[in-house]
Amino acid sequence: MKPIYPIKISHDIIKDMSWVNNPEYAKYILHISNVCKTFPSLLIAYSADTDAEKFTNLISEDIIKLGINVFKPEYPVPLSALSYALTSRNIPLGIYIENDSSEVTMTFISTHGGLFDEQDLLTNYCPKSNKTGVIGNTDLLSSYVNNLKGFVDIFIEKGFCFSDFVCPFAELEQRLRDCSEFSLLFEKNPNGYKAIISKNGSKLKWQNP
């Protein structure tokens, strides 16, 4: 197996909307077009990185020109929330957007919630659609949080708390706070570790108090 790893595209190429016609990214555009040929919709989500939402909006505008509908949340979410939505809704393709000082990172996620395999890359010629897709909003967190509840150990002994819990996803944090199952995350222990979730939600960093 050889997974299709995330690709990086410079800000300038995204801003002038030329990436969809750039030969360097042609196989990815063909893959998007072929996967969405029978189901012309995909999910796109973005990290908590600065300006990730802005670049997600620009990329979404490019994708709808391919005749594909784009549905995205109105707030940053973890990569795992996108993966869960794809599997639970049986949607064939999702794109996760991250941003740094000069480049955008695009990760293509399959309906099984993981990366596409190189052998599954669809690069057959696909006629350009004469239709324009639409951009809509979707909630990726409700079912995700409900699923997370099933992983909570309610029998953890009292006292094993964090000194701080840093979550870059404000909407997710609020929903976790609203659920009693996650109350332990927000109980404070000055002698506990500080837990910091990464901007894409895939890493957890620990710091001594």
Side-chain angles (χ1 to χ4, degrees), residues 98-112:
E98 298 171 73
N99 183 52
D100 62 24
S101 60
S102 62
E103 294 178 317
V104 168
T105 299
M106 299 175 63
T107 303
F108 300 93
I109 306 296
S110 176
T111 189
H112 56 64

Side-chain angles (χ1 to χ4, degrees), residues 3-22:
I4 299 175
Y5 292 108
I7 62 172
K8 294 184 179 293
I9 307 176
S10 74
H11 286 173
D12 290 340
I13 292 177
I14 296 291
K15 287 176 180 177
D16 67 17
M17 298 185 172
S18 64
W19 72 280
V20 292
N21 298 313
N22 190 314

Side-chain angles (χ1 to χ4, degrees), residues 38-203:
T38 56
F39 187 87
S41 296
L42 59 77
L43 297 179
I44 187 168
Y46 53 94
S47 70
D49 293 313
T50 301
D51 288 335
E53 180 180 12
K54 179 181 76 173
F55 286 105
T56 296
N57 291 336
L58 290 173
I59 290 168
S60 298
E61 291 289 345
D62 283 336
I63 291 174
I64 64 171
K65 294 174 185 176
L66 302 173
I68 298 169
N69 303 315
V70 173
F71 295 95
K72 58 187 180 68
E74 298 179 271
Y75 36 74
V77 300
L79 174 58
S80 53
L82 174 62
S83 293
Y84 182 75
L86 292 169
T87 57
S88 61
R89 302 181 191 183
N90 198 29
I91 294 176
L93 175 63
I95 301 175
Y96 193 74
I97 305 299
E98 298 171 73
N99 183 52
D100 62 24
S101 60
S102 62
E103 294 178 317
V104 168
T105 299
M106 299 175 63
T107 303
F108 300 93
I109 306 296
S110 176
T111 189
H112 56 64
L115 299 175
F116 282 91
D117 190 82
E118 189 78 38
Q119 65 184 8
D120 298 324
L121 196 65
L122 302 176
T123 57
N124 296 328
Y125 171 73
C126 189
K128 187 175 181 180
S129 174
N130 56 6
K131 299 179 180 179
T132 299
V134 298
I135 297 175
N137 295 323
T138 188
D139 175 18
L140 298 187
L141 289 182
S142 293
S143 59
Y144 178 69
V145 170
N146 284 334
N147 184 62
L148 286 179
K149 290 179 184 179
F151 297 97
V152 175
D153 183 355
I154 61 174
F155 300 106
I156 292 179
E157 296 180 32
K158 293 292 184 180
F160 291 92
C161 303
F162 301 126
S163 60
D164 196 10
F165 176 69
V166 182
C167 177
F169 308 100
E171 181 69 22
L172 174 60
E173 180 176 341
Q174 186 57 56
R175 297 198 189 199
L176 293 176
R177 288 181 179 275
D178 291 341
C179 297
S180 60
E181 291 88 344
F182 303 105
S183 60
L184 190 65
L185 290 174
F186 305 103
E187 293 178 11
K188 302 294 185 181
N189 176 0
N191 297 316
Y193 285 95
K194 181 178 182 179
I196 305 171
I197 299 176
S198 66
K199 294 296 182 69
N200 67 3
S202 66
K203 296 179 181 178

